Amino acid sequence: MSLRELIRRPRLPQRSDYTSELHSPRVAARIGTWLGITFTLCFITGLLSHYIQHPPLWFGWPTRPIWLYRLTQGVHVASGIAAIPLLFVKLWVVTPRFWRRPLLTGVLNILERTSILVLIASAAFELISGLLNVAEFYPWAFFFPPVHYAVAWIAIGALLVHIAVKLPVIRTALSRPVSDPDPPDPEIAGPEVPGPRTPDPTVATRDPVVDTEPASKAVGAKEPRHSGSLSRRGLLGVAAGAAGLATIATIGDRIPALEKTSVLAQRSGDGPQVLPVNRSARAAGVLRSAVDPGWRLTVTGPAGAVEFSLDQLRGLPQNTAELPIACVEGWARGASWSGVRMSDLLTAAGATAGSNVRVSSLDRGLYGRSDVPSSVGQDPLTLVALMLNGEQLHLDHGYPARLIAPSRPGVLQTKWLSRIEVIL
Ligand SMILES: Nc1nc2c(c(=O)[nH]1)N[C@H]1C(S)=C(S)[C@@H](COP(=O)(O)O)O[C@H]1N2
Ligand SMILES: [Mo]
C-alpha cells in the first residue's frame, strides 16, 4: 500500500498489501541467521565482560594473551553495531506478518506473538542503549550497566523461544536457494487474500491449468519476478553491506589500522600522551589531591600498612609493559607503561601469592575502586604505573600512580591510586 493511498483512505494495512517478493521467509530466515549469530556473539562477550567486572566464585579470567579482553569487547561492540542494520532489514522483511488477521488465534499463538514483542523491544533497547553508550551520550536516568545486562537476558531468552517456535519454518526456508519462489503461506492462503504471489513450482508442474503463468517462468525459475526492483539476493547484499559498513565506521577505536576509515569512531588518539581520556582529573574531583606533595600510596597486608611516597616508588625496581586500555564503551588503545610491579609492593606488605587485593583511588566516584584477583596481582605485567609512553603520567591518565594490568577492562584500570589492601 502506498503512502498516498494510506493518507487518502486511512486503514490498517493488510497482508495482501505487501506484494514484493522481498517479504519472504527465505530472506527473513537468512537475515535472521545473521542476526542470531551477531546476537549470540554479543551476548557471550557481554556476559564475559560482566563476569570479569563482577566475578562469581567459579569465574576466572586469564591475563594472557594480553589483548584477550580487547578482542572480546571489540567483538561485543562490533557485533552489536552490525546487528543494528540487520534488525532494521529483518523487521522490514517481516512487516506483513504484523498485520495478519485475526491478530491472535489461540494460546500458543498469543505466547508466540508476545515473545516476538518482547524480543523486538528488548533487542531494540540493547542495541540503542549500547550504541548511545559507545557515543558517550547518556539520555537516561538509570545506571547503564545493570540494566543493559538484565535486558540482555530477556532478549536472549525471547530469541531462543522465537527460534524454537520458528524452527520448522527456518529449516524449510534455508533448505532452498533464496531466489526460489516461496510456497503459498498457509496463514494467508484464505480466499480473501489471493495476492499476486508466485505459485509453488511443484504444484504448477502437476496441475498446469492452475498455473496461469508460462511454465518456463514458474518451473525452475531462479529469478523472482519483480519489475526492475531489488532482488532478494540484492537485499541480502545490502543488509550485509550495511552491517559491514556500520562496523568499519566505528571499529577504528579498537583497531588502529582502521582509524582513518572510522568516521564515527569517537576517541581515536585524542587525549594527552596519545591516549584517550575516559574521565578527566577535573571530572573525578582529584585536581588538588593528586598533586598534593603529601600524597602517599598505602599498601596494607598481613605485615601492616606500608606507605610509599612518589619518590620512593620511583626508587623501586622499574618495569615496562606494553598494554592496551580497552574501555568497555568501545575504544581500545595500546600504550607503553612503566612503574613498579604490583607483586613487589604486595611482597613488601607481607602478602602471599594467593592474596586478592582491592585498590582505591583518590576519586571517590563509581570507578574509584577495583578488585584485583591474585592471578592478576601476581602477574609480572601488572604495574602500578608512574610513566606513560616515556613521560611522567599525565594528570588525566592517573598521576601520580595508576593500575595497569593485562587483559583487563579499562574500567578496572584504576587511576589516581591511594590504597592497595589485601582483602583475603
Ligand atoms: N579513579 C578512576 N579510575 C578510572 C576511571 C575513573 O572514572 N576513575 N575510569 C576508568 C575507565 S572507564 C577507563 S576506560 C580508563 C581510561 O584510562 P585513561 O583515561 O587513562 O585512558 O580509566 C579507568 N580508571
Ligand atoms: Mo572505560
Side-chain angles (χ1 to χ4, degrees):
M1 175 166 54
S2 76
L3 191 62
R4 192 180 303 160
E5 264 179 300
L6 195 68
I7 292 168
R8 202 188 308 139
R9 190 163 49 92
R11 63 169 172 85
L12 281 181
Q14 290 172 9
R15 177 65 182 87
S16 53
D17 292 333
Y18 296 87
T19 54
S20 164
E21 291 271 353
L22 301 177
H23 299 294
S24 140
R26 282 161 217 260
V27 179
R30 278 164 178 85
I31 306 248
T33 305
W34 301 347
L35 262 175
I37 292 169
T38 55
F39 264 68
T40 306
L41 282 173
C42 207
F43 180 73
I44 292 172
T45 50
L47 207 58
L48 281 175
S49 187
H50 177 85
Y51 283 152
I52 298 167
Q53 293 171 65
H54 311 278
L57 281 175
W58 52 266
F59 184 83
W61 181 246
T63 55
R64 295 290 183 283
I66 59 160
W67 41 260
L68 188 59
Y69 182 76
R70 181 181 192 161
L71 175 73
T72 62
Q73 193 61 9
V75 169
H76 184 69
V77 174
S79 56
I81 286 172
I84 293 173
L86 293 179
L87 184 61
F88 273 111
V89 176
K90 178 75 155 63
L91 288 174
W92 180 81
V93 168
V94 301
T95 332
R97 303 191 58 82
F98 298 139
W99 303 112
R100 202 187 56 193
R101 293 296 177 272
L103 195 56
L104 302 167
T105 53
V107 178
L108 268 182
N109 179 255
I110 291 176
L111 282 177
E112 186 208 326
R113 298 223 125 196
T114 312
S115 80
I116 288 177
L117 192 69
V118 172
L119 176 58
I120 295 172
S122 57
F125 175 85
E126 288 298 272
L127 297 181
I128 292 167
S129 64
L131 185 70
L132 293 178
N133 203 254
V134 168
E136 286 184 279
F137 178 57
Y138 315 98
W140 45 69
F142 57 83
F143 182 41
F144 169 80
V147 182
H148 194 69
Y149 172 71
V151 177
W153 282 102
I154 299 176
I156 212 76
L159 179 61
L160 285 177
V161 171
H162 181 56
I163 293 173
V165 169
K166 295 288 181 190
L167 209 52
V169 182
I170 297 171
R171 289 171 76 163
T172 319
L174 292 182
S175 65
R176 290 173 59 192
V178 67
S179 46
D180 275 14
D182 299 314
D185 184 343
E187 281 180 358
I188 57 153
E192 75 283 6
V193 191
R197 300 177 64 80
T198 312
D200 187 342
T202 52
V203 175
T205 37
R206 255 185 275 117
D207 189 358
V209 185
V210 176
D211 182 16
T212 52
E213 304 282 348
S216 63
K217 264 186 154 186
V219 181
K222 282 279 179 258
E223 283 304 312
R225 273 149 286 145
H226 43 78
S227 41
S229 57
L230 195 62
S231 75
R232 289 178 179 182
R233 282 190 199 288
L235 180 72
L236 290 180
V238 167
L245 262 180
T247 306
I248 288 171
T250 41
I251 200 66
D253 271 349
R254 312 209 138 256
I255 305 168
L258 287 177
E259 206 178 303
K260 293 278 182 301
T261 62
S262 291
V263 287
L264 300 178
Q266 293 288 311
R267 304 182 231 198
S268 312
D270 51 4
Q273 299 172 330
V274 217
L275 187 72
V277 170
N278 184 273
R279 193 159 134 91
S280 69
R282 178 180 299 277
V286 300
L287 275 183
R288 206 162 318 146
S289 53
V291 297
D292 183 345
W295 176 86
R296 296 288 181 273
L297 178 65
T298 310
V299 185
T300 315
V306 192
E307 290 200 339
F308 297 90
S309 70
L310 184 52
D311 278 339
Q312 285 170 322
L313 288 174
R314 287 181 182 137
L316 294 173
Q318 303 292 300
N319 292 272
T320 299
E322 306 286 329
L323 294 174
I325 295 264
C327 180
V328 296
E329 289 187 327
W331 60 272
R333 178 70 32 142
S336 173
W337 309 88
S338 304
V340 184
R341 275 189 182 140
M342 170 77 94
S343 59
D344 291 349
L345 293 174
L346 294 178
T347 308
T352 55
S355 308
N356 298 311
V357 298
R358 170 165 300 163
V359 300
S360 313
S361 168
L362 299 168
D363 163 20
R364 309 225 170 270
L366 219 42
Y367 302 122
R369 227 171 65 173
S370 71
D371 287 351
V372 183
S374 58
S375 58
V376 177
Q378 291 303 316
D379 193 291
L381 293 182
T382 299
L383 304 179
V384 169
L386 312 174
M387 311 259 291
L388 163 55
N389 291 335
E391 295 168 20
Q392 174 173 280
L393 264 186
H394 190 279
L395 192 53
D396 284 336
H397 288 306
Y399 175 90
R402 82 171 300 162
L403 177 70
I404 186 81
S407 183
R408 188 166 159 92
V411 66
L412 300 183
Q413 312 276 31
T414 310
K415 306 195 271 193
W416 313 293
L417 289 182
S418 66
R419 293 176 66 83
I420 300 176
E421 49 191 319
V422 173
I423 46 176
L424 49 117

